[in-house]
């Protein structure tokens, strides 16, 4: 594949770029996506949109923890791939780069990206259900049993279906989307809102929007360019 001339020219000249990433960017690291390949992730017979929901948290917090503990253990051995590293390099390339991710795995940060806007939280943090105190679990072998501040129940600091996004996260991403020249949509099915509105906001404000995905998505038709392929293979092509 070759990067089309117009996109390459825009990439070379751009000063203000935004990238929205989703589960597909971590796929080449071995992290399963939620909906890829015609399948939907299932945990012990429970579809992920049921186990990862506000309703389930209310009904069965230990089951939700079991699902997230399993995933943290799995992610512990996972390392970033070329796509994460390439996006991290873009920080040096563009005067302004905003990285907005729906991923909770922390792999962008592991690859060196900073100031990442995490729309759906981070699996390596817990937060108190009462006082909202945050607990970093990345450096701890064992998850604390209760809040170290007030003793109340802890929950994963991730955004489940039916929950609000972290205060200010979407607003900041939307503001950056409205002022970027070039917007990349990488490895997301574009089905989950409000995250999927980010490229729409960028497009409406005049940005050139480029999707990178092996499959077409509901966003594809509204993009100026669709690069069909894996992020870890496509993104390095911008360097050659
Ligand atoms: C590759 C690749 C490779 C493979 N390279 N690519 C408007 C309309 C209808 C419904 C709603 C709406 N607005 C809000 C809603 C409700 C809901 C929603 O959007 N539902 C839709 C599914 C219909 N949204 C919410 O509930 C959100 N909250 C909210 O709106 O609050 C206000 C509110 C409150 C109360 C009531 C109503 C509204 C919160 C959404 C939170 C999503 N959380 C999850 C789980 C996080 C925790 C966990 O991990 O368990 O976040 S869901 C899951 O989907 C996860 C992801 O971040 C998110 C997006 O998925 P993503 O990243 O796109 O992954 P996939 O698997 O879908 O796609 C992978 C893609 O990669 C595919 O396209 C592949 O082809 C591609 N790929 N290999 C590049 N190598």
């Amino acid at each position: 594949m070759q990067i089309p001339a117009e996109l390459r020219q825009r990439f070379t000249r751009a000063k203000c770029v935004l990238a929205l990433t989703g589960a597909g960017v971590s796929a080449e690291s071995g992290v399963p996506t939620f909906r890829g390949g015609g399948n939907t992730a299932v945990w012990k017979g429970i579809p992920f949109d049921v186990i990862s929901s506000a309703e389930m948290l209310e009904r069965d917090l230990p089951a939700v923890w079991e699902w997230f503990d399993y995933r943290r253990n799995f992610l512990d051995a996972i390392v970033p791939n070329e796509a994460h590293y390439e996006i991290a390099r873009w920080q040096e390339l563009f005067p302004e780069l905003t990285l907005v991710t729906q991923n909770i795995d922390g792999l962008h940060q592991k690859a060196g990206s900073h100031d990442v806007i995490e729309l759906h939280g981070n699996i390596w943090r817990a937060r108190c259900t009462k006082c909202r105190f945050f607990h970093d679990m990345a450096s701890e072998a064992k998850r604390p049993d209760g809040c170290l501040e007030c003793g109340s129940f802890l929950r994963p600091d991730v955004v489940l279906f039916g929950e609000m996004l972290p205060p200010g996260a979407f607003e900041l991403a939307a503001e950056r989307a409205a002022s970027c020249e070039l917007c990349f949509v990488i490895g997301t099915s574009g089905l989950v809102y409000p995250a999927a509105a980010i490229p729409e906001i960028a497009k409406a404000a005049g940005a050139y929007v480029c999707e990178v995905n092996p499959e077409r998505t509901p966003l594809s038709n509204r993009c100026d360019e669709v690069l069909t392929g894996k992020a870890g293979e496509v993104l390095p092509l911008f360097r050659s």
Side-chain angles (χ1 to χ4, degrees):
M1 176 198 288
Q2 285 207 325
I3 303 297
E6 181 179 359
L7 175 59
R8 184 172 286 285
Q9 198 177 58
R10 286 178 183 271
F11 185 85
T12 310
R13 293 183 182 163
K15 302 232 170 334
C16 189
V17 174
L18 181 140
L20 170 70
T21 64
V25 97
S26 295
E28 288 155 88
S29 291
V31 183
T33 60
F34 295 92
R35 306 171 183 83
N39 291 317
T40 301
V42 170
W43 162 251
K44 293 191 173 179
I46 314 172
F48 83 91
D49 52 350
V50 174
I51 188 81
S52 281
S53 70
E55 264 177 271
M56 186 58 99
L57 192 89
E58 280 285 308
R59 194 152 34 100
D60 195 346
L61 179 60
V64 174
W65 266 123
E66 198 188 334
W67 155 240
F68 281 96
D69 287 346
Y70 162 78
R71 288 166 71 196
R72 266 197 339 283
N73 282 337
F74 172 81
L75 283 170
D76 207 24
I78 298 284
V79 292
N81 64 59
E82 261 319 299
H84 297 108
Y85 287 117
E86 203 54 43
I87 294 168
R89 283 185 201 110
W90 289 0
Q91 288 169 161
E92 316 307 323
L93 215 55
F94 303 114
E96 273 182 65
L97 174 76
T98 301
L99 173 55
V100 184
T101 191
Q102 298 166 82
N103 298 347
I104 61 172
D105 54 30
L107 288 173
H108 281 302
Q109 291 89 337
K110 259 195 185 174
S113 286
H114 50 72
D115 300 324
V116 183
I117 302 178
E118 293 180 316
L119 292 180
H120 296 163
N122 190 301
I123 197 166
W124 299 102
R125 270 192 319 265
R127 74 166 194 265
C128 179
T129 50
K130 198 167 173 195
C131 73
R132 289 188 69 89
F133 189 82
F134 292 99
H135 297 261
D136 173 17
M137 295 186 291
S139 49
E140 289 166 24
K142 190 180 170 292
R143 162 168 67 81
D145 289 332
C147 176
L148 301 174
E149 277 290 297
C150 74
S152 298
F153 291 115
L154 290 173
R155 57 160 289 171
D157 187 29
V158 298
V159 183
L160 305 172
F161 274 113
E163 292 189 318
M164 303 302 281
L165 272 58
F170 178 74
E171 291 75 5
L172 180 59
E175 191 185 307
R176 301 281 179 83
S179 61
C180 73
E181 299 154 63
L182 181 56
C183 172
F184 283 94
V185 192
I186 309 166
T188 176
S189 58
L191 290 169
V192 174
Y193 279 82
I198 298 291
E200 293 170 350
I201 293 169
K203 178 78 184 150
Y208 191 87
V209 181
C210 170
E211 179 174 68
V212 180
N213 199 312
E215 292 175 16
R216 288 190 72 81
T217 75
L219 298 171
S220 304
N221 283 343
R222 277 168 280 163
C223 291
D224 296 289
E225 194 60 71
V226 176
L227 301 179
T228 305
K230 295 180 176 180
E233 294 171 5
V234 171
L235 298 185
L237 299 177
F238 281 91
R239 266 193 289 153
S240 50

